[in-house]
Amino acid sequence: MFLRTVALLLLVGQTDGKTQKGFLTFGGEEGQEWHYLGKFGYAVGSGRYEIRLRLDGVLRDEDEIPRVDLDIFLDEEWPRASSYAACSRASDVPARKSHALLEPGLFGEWGHWHGGSLYQNIRPHFWYFSLSDCRNNFDSGSGEEVRQPYRIEYELRWVQFDESELSLELRYMPMASSFALVILTVLGVGLVYKCYSMRRSFDQLHPVVYALAMAMTLQGASQILHLYHLKAYENNGFGHPTADMFAEVLFQLSQVAGASLLIAIAQGYTLVRSKLSEVQLLTPVVAVVAILHVLLVAAGKLRSSCRYYENEGIVGWMLLLMRMSLLVWFQSGIKSLHSRNSTHLNKFLRLFELAGSAYFLAFPAVFVFVQVLAPYLQNPVLQTVLLAFQTATWLWLAGLFLSRSSYYEASELSSSLLPGGAGAHCFSPSSGKNKFRGTWQAGAHCFSPSSGSKKML
């Protein structure tokens, strides 16, 4: 079923352009005269846009039909817009293109489409769109005749030169997401096969294997939802916001699961402790971190029309701070384990510390790096690097847990789970004695070196 879902997602085709819809109020208590609509990144070539309006409500007999202006700003000049008064931006920034006196449809009917083309010759550009009504007086304190507030519904469409409707920062994400999903699927199938073989041989799997499978499942579900959103985007022009939200939440939870697994091992789980409950504060801290990640993702989605990439701004910096805090916790555990002076343990810890630190530093490093990139490069670089690091981490952990690696030699997995294990010899790096008697080993036979016979734990 999973493979069939992946195949169907990869075969969905493209149709219409990106569409943004909404309602805007002009006038009212705040005398609102200017509204930001959104942005779109155009690739090199001639892209198109079009907008139509309709009045929400009925005009009074004495009211004139409202007319608004569509102004379009280039990314190189847009940062200056906030320094000018709203009604001066079109002339002072200035707007590169304007459509004046657009008339909305009345009596529930849409008005005519108005649009044009934007040409990029040297490099791609983001273009910013706004609607304004600066000809009417909405200020009741001026002593002049006041225009009554009105509400307009708008529909705005953007299309690339090649009829693609994806903005530049998302243009190559369907391909990247599809590739990541295929790799993750192949890795997942291999993991399931290996686990099935081990379970047939040993009747049990260690909890770290289940934890890895859960983290991979979360990322797989995230990729499916994200790809579904992008394909829906290509079909209806605005995607599936709920699927997009859950995709980002699941991806963050997948990262938290991976970080938790690394921290648990760094704190001695399977190395000097046989029970996860013996790792102090792990469960409550991870629960708080997971909740904070979900809340930050939700906050980031609320301002999605203004951002260039996922978790831009304060949300990203807060995530960076949490990852650095988790890195400190991870390295403190590694330092404590090094102090035990175990040959097998130190051999494993050298590589484990390097790879684990790289995992924790992946998001902070790439997040800081994309700040200096052009806006149209920020999202694809950030998402591609994170996907690559995440997938590579699962591949590395699968190798640690399911093969005769240095981790196998240093941990309790060498006791009975993997081929070549001592079966009964539940080795403790600290004393060399049979100490690991976790619930996952219930019913397993352990070898007693003193008697040369097997006995039940």
Side-chain angles (χ1 to χ4, degrees), residues 220-233:
S222 168
Q223 291 304 116
I224 289 177
L225 289 174
H226 186 59
L227 195 54
Y228 170 71
H229 164 67
L230 291 174
K231 294 302 181 180
Y233 206 121

Side-chain angles (χ1 to χ4, degrees), residues 1-10 177-190 192 213 216-225 227:
M1 180 61 70
F2 177 79
L3 294 175
R4 183 182 301 174
T5 302
V6 172
L8 288 174
L9 286 171
L10 295 178
S177 296
S178 300
F179 181 74
L181 186 56
V182 169
I183 296 298
L184 197 62
T185 301
V186 173
L187 181 59
V189 170
V192 169
M216 291 176 58
T217 300
L218 288 173
Q219 185 183 347
S222 168
Q223 291 304 116
I224 289 177
L225 289 174
L227 195 54

Side-chain angles (χ1 to χ4, degrees), residues 72-222:
I72 307 170
F73 303 86
L74 185 62
D75 52 5
E76 297 171 348
E77 298 152 355
W78 176 251
R80 301 202 304 265
S82 60
S83 62
Y84 294 98
C87 285
S88 300
R89 290 168 185 165
S91 58
D92 294 341
V93 172
R96 288 299 184 98
K97 207 164 191 177
S98 295
H99 296 263
L101 300 175
L102 301 184
E103 184 175 315
L106 304 177
F107 309 110
E109 299 293 331
W110 284 103
H112 298 296
W113 285 103
H114 302 271
S117 299
L118 295 170
Y119 186 71
Q120 286 66 228
N121 184 28
I122 299 176
R123 70 168 182 86
H125 285 283
F126 276 94
W127 293 85
Y128 298 80
F129 294 72
S130 70
L131 277 180
S132 61
D133 181 356
C134 296
R135 295 179 178 83
N136 289 298
N137 175 32
F138 293 106
D139 185 6
S140 59
S142 65
E144 301 177 6
E145 184 179 353
V146 178
R147 170 78 199 213
Q148 291 298 313
Y150 61 90
R151 192 166 184 246
I152 280 182
E153 182 180 4
Y154 73 93
E155 182 176 348
L156 179 59
R157 294 178 180 174
W158 294 282
V159 181
Q160 298 280 6
F161 72 95
D162 59 355
E163 303 302 320
S164 171
E165 67 298 312
L166 291 176
S167 183
L168 193 62
E169 74 275 17
L170 298 175
R171 187 169 172 81
Y172 300 105
M173 289 313 299
M175 182 186 304
S177 296
S178 300
F179 181 74
L181 186 56
V182 169
I183 296 298
L184 197 62
T185 301
V186 173
L187 181 59
V189 170
L191 180 66
V192 169
Y193 176 77
K194 184 68 174 179
C195 291
Y196 177 74
S197 300
M198 290 180 61
R199 190 166 181 82
R200 289 188 62 184
S201 300
F202 304 103
D203 295 326
Q204 57 188 328
L205 293 173
H206 196 279
V208 294
V209 180
Y210 288 115
L212 174 61
M214 181 191 70
M216 291 176 58
T217 300
L218 288 173
Q219 185 183 347
S222 168

Side-chain angles (χ1 to χ4, degrees), residues 234-249:
E234 294 175 342
N235 281 319
N236 58 27
F238 53 87
H240 198 297
T242 302
D244 185 38
M245 167 73 80
F246 277 104
E248 183 62 22
V249 167

Side-chain angles (χ1 to χ4, degrees), residues 278-309:
E278 296 175 0
V279 181
Q280 296 181 354
L281 300 178
L282 181 65
T283 301
V285 171
V286 168
V288 171
V289 169
I291 292 172
L292 287 176
H293 274 72
V294 172
L295 294 177
L296 288 173
V297 168
K301 291 296 183 183
L302 294 178
R303 54 187 298 271
S304 59
S305 63
C306 303
R307 58 185 172 84
Y308 294 108
Y309 54 90

Side-chain angles (χ1 to χ4, degrees), residues 11 14 35 41 49 53 61 98 159 167 207 220 227 246 249 259 270 273 299 307 334 350 355 367 380 388 392 404 441:
L11 291 175
Q14 301 183 8
H35 288 279
Y49 64 90
L53 311 167
D61 293 338
S98 295
V159 181
S167 183
L227 195 54
F246 277 104
V249 167
T270 72
R273 297 180 176 91
R307 58 185 172 84
I334 295 291
R350 284 191 290 271
F367 180 80
R404 292 176 58 85
Q441 286 179 314

